[in-house]
Amino acid sequence: MRQSHRISTLNGDAKDDGWGLFNLARARIAQGAKIIELTQGEHDIGTDARILEAMHASAMRGVTGYSPVPGLPKLREAVAKRLSERTGVATTPDHVQITPGGQAGLFAAHNATCDPGDRALYIDPYYATYPGTLRAVGAVPVAVEARSRHGFQPRAEAIAEKAEGAKSLLVNTPNNPTGAVYGIETLEGIARVTQDHDLWLISDEVYDTQVWEGEHISPRALPDMAERTLVVGSMSKSHAMTGSRLGWVVGPPEVIQNLTFLANATTYGVAGFVQVAGLHALSLGVDLEEEIAAPFRRRRAIVLRLVEGQNVVRAIPAQGAMYTMLDIRATGLSGEAFGRELLDREAIAVMPGESFGHAAAGHIRLALTTDDARLEDAVARLLALAGRLADRNS
Protein backbone atom coordinates (compact mmCIF):
# COMPACT_ATOMS: atom_id res chain seq x y z
CA MET A 1 0.00 0.00 0.00
CA ARG A 2 1.25 3.48 -0.83
CA GLN A 3 1.83 5.85 2.06
CA SER A 4 0.86 9.51 1.85
CA HIS A 5 3.25 11.81 0.03
CA ARG A 6 3.45 14.07 3.08
CA ILE A 7 4.60 11.36 5.48
CA SER A 8 6.95 9.64 3.03
CA THR A 9 8.78 12.88 2.20
CA LEU A 10 9.31 14.29 5.70
CA ASN A 11 13.08 14.03 5.36
CA GLY A 12 13.12 15.56 1.89
CA ASP A 13 16.16 14.41 -0.08
CA ALA A 14 18.15 13.49 3.04
CA LYS A 15 19.31 9.92 3.47
CA ASP A 16 18.30 10.07 7.13
CA ASP A 17 16.99 12.65 9.56
CA GLY A 18 20.43 14.08 10.39
CA TRP A 19 21.04 11.69 13.25
CA GLY A 20 23.07 9.01 11.45
CA LEU A 21 26.26 9.42 13.49
CA PHE A 22 24.25 9.66 16.69
CA ASN A 23 22.44 6.41 15.87
CA LEU A 24 25.76 4.71 15.08
CA ALA A 25 27.19 5.78 18.45
CA ARG A 26 24.08 4.56 20.26
CA ALA A 27 24.29 1.19 18.48
CA ARG A 28 27.90 0.79 19.61
CA ILE A 29 26.97 1.70 23.17
CA ALA A 30 24.23 -0.95 23.09
CA GLN A 31 26.89 -3.45 22.07
CA GLY A 32 29.00 -2.56 25.11
CA ALA A 33 31.36 0.10 23.76
CA LYS A 34 32.40 2.88 26.15
CA ILE A 35 31.79 6.13 24.32
CA ILE A 36 31.81 9.71 25.60
CA GLU A 37 28.54 11.15 24.28
CA LEU A 38 28.50 14.82 23.35
CA THR A 39 25.57 14.53 20.95
CA GLN A 40 22.14 15.12 22.44
CA GLY A 41 20.88 18.10 24.42
CA GLU A 42 19.94 15.93 27.39
CA HIS A 43 20.90 17.08 30.89
CA ASP A 44 23.25 14.81 32.83
CA ILE A 45 21.02 15.30 35.87
CA GLY A 46 17.48 14.09 36.38
CA THR A 47 14.41 16.19 36.96
CA ASP A 48 14.49 17.85 40.38
CA ALA A 49 12.99 15.60 43.07
CA ARG A 50 10.58 18.33 44.18
CA ILE A 51 9.05 18.41 40.71
CA LEU A 52 8.75 14.63 40.59
CA GLU A 53 7.16 14.59 44.04
CA ALA A 54 4.56 17.11 42.87
CA MET A 55 3.87 14.95 39.81
CA HIS A 56 3.52 11.81 41.91
CA ALA A 57 1.30 13.44 44.52
CA SER A 58 -0.93 14.87 41.81
CA ALA A 59 -1.33 11.49 40.10
CA MET A 60 -2.02 9.75 43.40
CA ARG A 61 -4.78 12.18 44.32
CA GLY A 62 -6.52 11.43 41.04
CA VAL A 63 -5.36 14.00 38.50
CA THR A 64 -5.16 11.27 35.87
CA GLY A 65 -8.20 11.92 33.72
CA TYR A 66 -8.80 14.26 30.83
CA SER A 67 -7.41 17.73 31.39
CA PRO A 68 -8.60 20.97 29.77
CA VAL A 69 -7.35 20.92 26.18
CA PRO A 70 -5.87 24.45 26.27
CA GLY A 71 -4.07 23.54 29.51
CA LEU A 72 -4.77 23.83 33.22
CA PRO A 73 -5.91 27.39 33.96
CA LYS A 74 -3.33 27.86 36.72
CA LEU A 75 -0.50 26.73 34.48
CA ARG A 76 -1.61 29.00 31.64
CA GLU A 77 -1.74 31.83 34.16
CA ALA A 78 1.79 31.02 35.40
CA VAL A 79 3.19 30.90 31.87
CA ALA A 80 1.47 34.19 31.03
CA LYS A 81 2.95 35.79 34.16
CA ARG A 82 6.41 34.47 33.26
CA LEU A 83 6.23 35.93 29.75
CA SER A 84 4.85 39.24 30.98
CA GLU A 85 7.65 39.67 33.51
CA ARG A 86 10.47 38.57 31.21
CA THR A 87 9.45 40.36 28.02
CA GLY A 88 7.42 43.33 29.19
CA VAL A 89 4.57 42.31 26.88
CA ALA A 90 1.19 42.09 28.59
CA THR A 91 0.23 38.39 28.42
CA THR A 92 -2.90 36.70 29.75
CA PRO A 93 -3.93 33.03 29.92
CA ASP A 94 -5.88 33.61 26.69
CA HIS A 95 -2.52 34.07 24.96
CA VAL A 96 -1.29 30.61 26.06
CA GLN A 97 -1.82 27.09 24.71
CA ILE A 98 -0.12 24.28 26.64
CA THR A 99 1.44 21.66 24.35
CA PRO A 100 3.13 18.26 24.82
CA GLY A 101 6.61 19.74 24.51
CA GLY A 102 8.22 22.42 22.41
CA GLN A 103 8.26 20.21 19.33
CA ALA A 104 4.48 19.89 19.40
CA GLY A 105 4.38 23.65 19.84
CA LEU A 106 6.41 24.15 16.65
CA PHE A 107 4.07 21.83 14.77
CA ALA A 108 1.00 23.62 16.13
CA ALA A 109 2.38 27.09 15.36
CA HIS A 110 3.08 26.19 11.74
CA ASN A 111 -0.34 24.61 11.38
CA ALA A 112 -1.78 27.93 12.53
CA THR A 113 0.19 29.99 10.04
CA CYS A 114 0.82 27.89 6.92
CA ASP A 115 -1.48 26.29 4.36
CA PRO A 116 -0.30 23.37 2.19
CA GLY A 117 2.09 24.68 -0.44
CA ASP A 118 3.01 27.86 1.46
CA ARG A 119 6.70 28.77 1.62
CA ALA A 120 7.97 28.70 5.21
CA LEU A 121 11.36 30.24 5.95
CA TYR A 122 13.80 29.01 8.59
CA ILE A 123 17.39 29.84 9.50
CA ASP A 124 20.23 27.48 8.56
CA PRO A 125 21.93 26.16 10.75
CA TYR A 126 18.78 24.78 12.30
CA TYR A 127 17.58 22.29 14.87
CA ALA A 128 17.34 19.00 13.01
CA THR A 129 13.53 18.68 13.22
CA TYR A 130 12.71 22.02 11.57
CA PRO A 131 12.47 21.04 7.88
CA GLY A 132 10.48 17.90 8.70
CA THR A 133 8.12 19.92 10.88
CA LEU A 134 7.41 22.30 8.01
CA ARG A 135 6.85 19.44 5.57
CA ALA A 136 4.57 17.74 8.11
CA VAL A 137 2.11 20.64 7.86
CA GLY A 138 2.36 20.65 4.05
CA ALA A 139 4.54 23.76 3.85
CA VAL A 140 7.57 24.13 1.57
CA PRO A 141 10.72 24.61 3.68
CA VAL A 142 13.01 27.44 2.52
CA ALA A 143 16.37 27.79 4.26
CA VAL A 144 18.06 31.15 4.84
CA GLU A 145 21.75 30.71 5.62
CA ALA A 146 23.42 32.46 8.56
CA ARG A 147 27.18 32.43 8.08
CA SER A 148 29.89 31.26 10.44
CA ARG A 149 31.90 34.44 9.74
CA HIS A 150 28.96 36.48 11.10
CA GLY A 151 28.77 34.42 14.30
CA PHE A 152 25.72 32.70 12.78
CA GLN A 153 23.64 35.85 13.24
CA PRO A 154 21.08 35.91 10.39
CA ARG A 155 21.20 38.95 8.12
CA ALA A 156 17.98 40.79 7.31
CA GLU A 157 18.96 41.17 3.66
CA ALA A 158 19.42 37.39 3.32
CA ILE A 159 15.95 36.81 4.76
CA ALA A 160 14.42 39.50 2.54
CA GLU A 161 15.86 37.85 -0.59
CA LYS A 162 13.68 34.80 0.06
CA ALA A 163 10.71 36.43 1.78
CA GLU A 164 8.64 37.36 -1.27
CA GLY A 165 5.49 35.23 -1.25
CA ALA A 166 6.46 33.38 1.95
CA LYS A 167 4.04 32.93 4.84
CA SER A 168 6.23 32.49 7.93
CA LEU A 169 9.73 32.74 9.36
CA LEU A 170 11.07 30.45 12.10
CA VAL A 171 13.91 31.74 14.31
CA ASN A 172 15.60 30.28 17.37
CA THR A 173 17.46 32.32 19.98
CA PRO A 174 19.42 31.30 22.00
CA ASN A 175 20.25 29.06 19.11
CA ASN A 176 20.61 25.32 18.78
CA PRO A 177 23.07 24.28 17.33
CA THR A 178 25.30 27.37 17.19
CA GLY A 179 24.88 28.95 20.64
CA ALA A 180 24.23 32.34 19.01
CA VAL A 181 22.08 34.79 20.95
CA TYR A 182 20.47 37.21 18.52
CA GLY A 183 21.29 40.81 19.34
CA ILE A 184 18.91 43.74 19.07
CA GLU A 185 20.16 44.75 15.59
CA THR A 186 19.59 41.22 14.30
CA LEU A 187 16.11 41.09 15.81
CA GLU A 188 15.14 44.54 14.54
CA GLY A 189 16.20 43.44 11.06
CA ILE A 190 14.11 40.29 11.37
CA ALA A 191 11.12 42.32 12.59
CA ARG A 192 11.46 44.75 9.70
CA VAL A 193 11.47 41.94 7.12
CA THR A 194 8.44 40.23 8.66
CA GLN A 195 6.52 43.51 8.61
CA ASP A 196 7.59 44.47 5.09
CA HIS A 197 6.60 41.05 3.71
CA ASP A 198 3.65 40.35 6.02
CA LEU A 199 5.20 37.20 7.53
CA TRP A 200 4.24 35.37 10.67
CA LEU A 201 7.25 35.09 12.99
CA ILE A 202 7.59 31.86 14.95
CA SER A 203 10.15 32.29 17.72
CA ASP A 204 11.59 29.16 19.34
CA GLU A 205 12.77 30.35 22.77
CA VAL A 206 13.24 27.07 24.62
CA TYR A 207 16.80 28.06 25.68
CA ASP A 208 15.83 31.44 27.13
CA THR A 209 17.29 30.58 30.56
CA GLN A 210 20.72 29.67 29.12
CA VAL A 211 22.39 32.96 28.19
CA TRP A 212 26.12 33.40 28.82
CA GLU A 213 26.77 36.67 26.98
CA GLY A 214 24.38 39.50 26.21
CA GLU A 215 20.69 39.09 26.96
CA HIS A 216 17.73 37.19 25.61
CA ILE A 217 15.29 39.45 23.80
CA SER A 218 12.02 38.02 22.61
CA PRO A 219 11.07 39.44 19.19
CA ARG A 220 7.49 39.50 20.44
CA ALA A 221 8.56 42.46 22.60
CA LEU A 222 9.60 44.63 19.65
CA PRO A 223 7.22 47.35 18.41
CA ASP A 224 4.22 46.04 16.42
CA MET A 225 5.43 42.42 16.68
CA ALA A 226 3.14 40.90 19.32
CA GLU A 227 0.27 40.41 16.85
CA ARG A 228 2.40 38.59 14.27
CA THR A 229 4.62 36.52 16.61
CA LEU A 230 4.06 33.06 18.06
CA VAL A 231 6.51 32.13 20.82
CA VAL A 232 7.28 28.47 21.45
CA GLY A 233 8.53 27.63 24.95
CA SER A 234 9.22 24.53 26.95
CA MET A 235 10.09 23.17 30.38
CA SER A 236 12.59 20.74 28.84
CA LYS A 237 15.80 22.78 28.97
CA SER A 238 14.96 25.32 31.67
CA HIS A 239 13.83 22.72 34.23
CA ALA A 240 15.47 19.48 33.02
CA MET A 241 12.05 18.04 32.18
CA THR A 242 12.82 16.71 28.68
CA GLY A 243 10.85 13.49 29.12
CA SER A 244 7.81 15.20 30.65
CA ARG A 245 6.91 16.74 27.27
CA LEU A 246 5.54 20.05 28.51
CA GLY A 247 5.64 23.23 26.48
CA TRP A 248 3.51 26.08 25.18
CA VAL A 249 2.70 28.44 22.36
CA VAL A 250 2.09 32.09 23.19
CA GLY A 251 0.38 34.34 20.66
CA PRO A 252 -2.73 36.35 19.80
CA PRO A 253 -5.86 34.94 21.51
CA GLU A 254 -7.62 34.25 18.20
CA VAL A 255 -4.69 32.03 17.17
CA ILE A 256 -4.65 30.27 20.53
CA GLN A 257 -8.36 29.51 20.17
CA ASN A 258 -7.67 27.79 16.87
CA LEU A 259 -4.73 25.90 18.38
CA THR A 260 -7.17 24.52 20.93
CA PHE A 261 -9.30 23.23 18.05
CA LEU A 262 -6.15 21.65 16.58
CA ALA A 263 -5.34 20.00 19.90
CA ASN A 264 -8.88 18.59 19.98
CA ALA A 265 -8.03 16.79 16.75
CA THR A 266 -4.49 15.70 17.68
CA THR A 267 -3.16 15.51 21.24
CA TYR A 268 -6.38 16.19 23.15
CA GLY A 269 -4.35 18.01 25.78
CA VAL A 270 -1.46 17.22 28.12
CA ALA A 271 -1.61 14.89 31.12
CA GLY A 272 -2.88 16.83 34.12
CA PHE A 273 -0.34 15.47 36.59
CA VAL A 274 2.48 16.55 34.28
CA GLN A 275 0.99 20.05 34.11
CA VAL A 276 0.76 20.19 37.91
CA ALA A 277 4.45 19.25 38.06
CA GLY A 278 5.23 22.02 35.58
CA LEU A 279 3.29 24.52 37.64
CA HIS A 280 5.27 23.52 40.72
CA ALA A 281 8.52 23.81 38.76
CA LEU A 282 7.68 27.37 37.75
CA SER A 283 6.85 28.20 41.34
CA LEU A 284 10.42 27.32 42.36
CA GLY A 285 11.59 30.46 40.60
CA VAL A 286 14.82 31.54 38.95
CA ASP A 287 17.04 29.87 41.56
CA LEU A 288 16.27 26.44 40.14
CA GLU A 289 16.64 27.66 36.56
CA GLU A 290 20.06 29.14 37.36
CA GLU A 291 21.11 25.95 39.13
CA ILE A 292 20.22 23.87 36.07
CA ALA A 293 21.98 26.30 33.70
CA ALA A 294 25.18 26.69 35.75
CA PRO A 295 27.00 23.51 34.60
CA PHE A 296 26.68 24.54 30.95
CA ARG A 297 28.13 27.99 31.62
CA ARG A 298 31.05 26.34 33.42
CA ARG A 299 31.63 23.71 30.74
CA ARG A 300 31.50 26.28 27.96
CA ALA A 301 34.42 28.02 29.68
CA ILE A 302 36.34 24.71 29.75
CA VAL A 303 35.90 24.21 26.01
CA LEU A 304 36.89 27.78 25.15
CA ARG A 305 39.99 27.57 27.35
CA LEU A 306 41.17 24.42 25.63
CA VAL A 307 40.45 25.73 22.14
CA GLU A 308 42.44 28.90 22.85
CA GLY A 309 45.54 26.73 23.39
CA GLN A 310 45.81 25.63 19.75
CA ASN A 311 45.32 27.05 16.24
CA VAL A 312 43.57 24.34 14.21
CA VAL A 313 40.04 24.32 15.62
CA ARG A 314 38.08 27.56 15.95
CA ALA A 315 35.26 27.98 18.45
CA ILE A 316 32.16 29.91 17.44
CA PRO A 317 31.52 32.28 20.37
CA ALA A 318 28.73 30.39 22.15
CA GLN A 319 26.64 33.10 23.76
CA GLY A 320 23.93 30.75 25.02
CA ALA A 321 22.39 27.26 25.03
CA MET A 322 23.99 24.00 26.12
CA TYR A 323 26.23 23.55 23.06
CA THR A 324 29.47 24.73 21.53
CA MET A 325 30.04 24.79 17.76
CA LEU A 326 33.58 24.13 16.55
CA ASP A 327 34.97 24.93 13.10
CA ILE A 328 37.15 21.99 12.03
CA ARG A 329 37.64 22.92 8.36
CA ALA A 330 41.41 23.23 8.83
CA THR A 331 41.53 19.45 9.13
CA GLY A 332 40.42 19.12 5.51
CA LEU A 333 37.42 17.03 6.55
CA SER A 334 33.71 17.65 6.60
CA GLY A 335 31.96 17.65 9.95
CA GLU A 336 30.53 14.24 9.09
CA ALA A 337 33.92 12.75 8.21
CA PHE A 338 35.64 14.29 11.23
CA GLY A 339 32.87 13.03 13.51
CA ARG A 340 33.32 9.52 12.15
CA GLU A 341 37.10 9.68 12.69
CA LEU A 342 36.53 10.93 16.23
CA LEU A 343 34.11 8.11 16.97
CA ASP A 344 36.31 5.41 15.45
CA ARG A 345 39.63 6.58 16.87
CA GLU A 346 38.72 8.17 20.18
CA ALA A 347 35.27 6.75 21.05
CA ILE A 348 33.86 10.27 21.30
CA ALA A 349 30.49 11.04 19.71
CA VAL A 350 29.55 14.51 18.45
CA MET A 351 27.01 15.86 15.99
CA PRO A 352 28.37 16.87 12.57
CA GLY A 353 27.47 20.36 11.45
CA GLU A 354 25.94 18.94 8.30
CA SER A 355 23.15 17.53 10.48
CA PHE A 356 22.00 21.12 10.94
CA GLY A 357 22.20 22.43 7.38
CA HIS A 358 24.58 23.63 4.69
CA ALA A 359 25.81 26.69 6.60
CA ALA A 360 27.26 24.49 9.37
CA ALA A 361 29.26 22.24 7.01
CA GLY A 362 32.80 21.76 8.25
CA HIS A 363 31.71 22.26 11.85
CA ILE A 364 30.78 19.95 14.72
CA ARG A 365 28.46 20.55 17.65
CA LEU A 366 29.39 19.53 21.17
CA ALA A 367 26.60 19.07 23.71
CA LEU A 368 27.98 20.12 27.11
CA THR A 369 26.08 17.31 28.77
CA THR A 370 28.73 15.23 30.51
CA ASP A 371 30.65 15.93 33.70
CA ASP A 372 33.45 18.48 33.64
CA ALA A 373 36.36 16.01 33.82
CA ARG A 374 35.06 13.78 31.03
CA LEU A 375 34.31 16.82 28.89
CA GLU A 376 37.80 18.23 29.37
CA ASP A 377 39.37 14.87 28.51
CA ALA A 378 37.17 14.49 25.42
CA VAL A 379 37.87 17.98 24.10
CA ALA A 380 41.61 17.62 24.65
CA ARG A 381 41.59 14.38 22.65
CA LEU A 382 39.38 15.94 19.98
CA LEU A 383 41.81 18.83 19.54
CA ALA A 384 44.78 16.49 19.41
CA LEU A 385 43.11 14.45 16.67
CA ALA A 386 42.28 17.62 14.75
CA GLY A 387 45.93 18.66 14.95
CA ARG A 388 47.12 15.33 13.55
CA LEU A 389 44.57 15.46 10.74
CA ALA A 390 45.53 19.04 9.89
CA ASP A 391 49.23 18.06 9.72
CA ARG A 392 48.34 15.22 7.37
CA ASN A 393 46.31 17.63 5.24
CA SER A 394 49.09 20.25 4.98
Side-chain angles (χ1 to χ4, degrees), residues 9 44 94 98 122 133 141 154-155 176-177 199 208 219 221 232 258 287 299 325:
T9 59
D44 53 328
D94 288 340
I98 303 300
Y122 64 105
T133 301
R155 297 298 180 96
N176 174 16
L199 302 178
D208 66 345
V232 176
N258 284 329
D287 288 347
R299 292 166 188 169
M325 184 76 89

Side-chain angles (χ1 to χ4, degrees), residues 15-99:
K15 294 179 181 178
D16 57 41
D17 58 1
W19 292 82
L21 203 59
F22 168 84
N23 292 331
L24 177 61
R26 285 293 171 95
R28 292 184 180 181
I29 291 170
Q31 294 168 0
K34 293 184 178 180
I35 292 173
I36 298 178
E37 271 236 69
L38 305 176
T39 55
Q40 197 171 31
E42 179 74 82
H43 306 72
D44 53 328
I45 59 171
T47 302
D48 188 282
R50 291 168 292 178
I51 299 172
L52 296 178
E53 288 165 2
M55 187 183 299
H56 174 73
S58 174
M60 292 303 293
R61 69 172 180 265
V63 187
T64 56
Y66 292 124
S67 60
V69 173
L72 295 178
K74 288 185 178 180
L75 180 57
R76 297 174 76 196
E77 182 178 349
V79 171
K81 182 174 183 289
R82 186 180 195 269
L83 268 288
S84 294
E85 292 175 348
R86 297 189 180 202
T87 68
V89 181
T91 307
T92 71
D94 288 340
H95 292 92
V96 180
Q97 169 75 38
I98 303 300
T99 63

Side-chain angles (χ1 to χ4, degrees), residues 281-304:
L282 291 177
S283 77
L284 297 173
V286 297
D287 288 347
L288 176 61
E289 295 177 11
E290 291 175 354
E291 179 184 335
I292 290 170
F296 306 120
R297 181 190 295 273
R298 188 175 66 243
R299 292 166 188 169
R300 166 188 178 270
I302 291 172
V303 174
L304 296 183

Side-chain angles (χ1 to χ4, degrees), residues 22 71 89 140 142 156 159 166 213 270 295 300 333 348 373:
F22 168 84
V89 181
V140 178
V142 178
I159 300 171
E213 293 180 5
V270 178
R300 166 188 178 270
L333 298 181
I348 298 168

Side-chain angles (χ1 to χ4, degrees), residues 44 68 92 98 101 109-111 120 207 228 300 317 320 329-330 362 375:
D44 53 328
T92 71
I98 303 300
H110 283 93
N111 265 294
Y207 292 96
R228 68 169 63 249
R300 166 188 178 270
R329 285 176 288 184
L375 177 67

Side-chain angles (χ1 to χ4, degrees), residues 22 29 56 58 104 106 160 220 233 237 257 271 281 305 315 318:
F22 168 84
I29 291 170
H56 174 73
S58 174
L106 289 168
R220 181 170 174 259
K237 309 302 181 181
Q257 179 64 66
R305 171 174 55 80

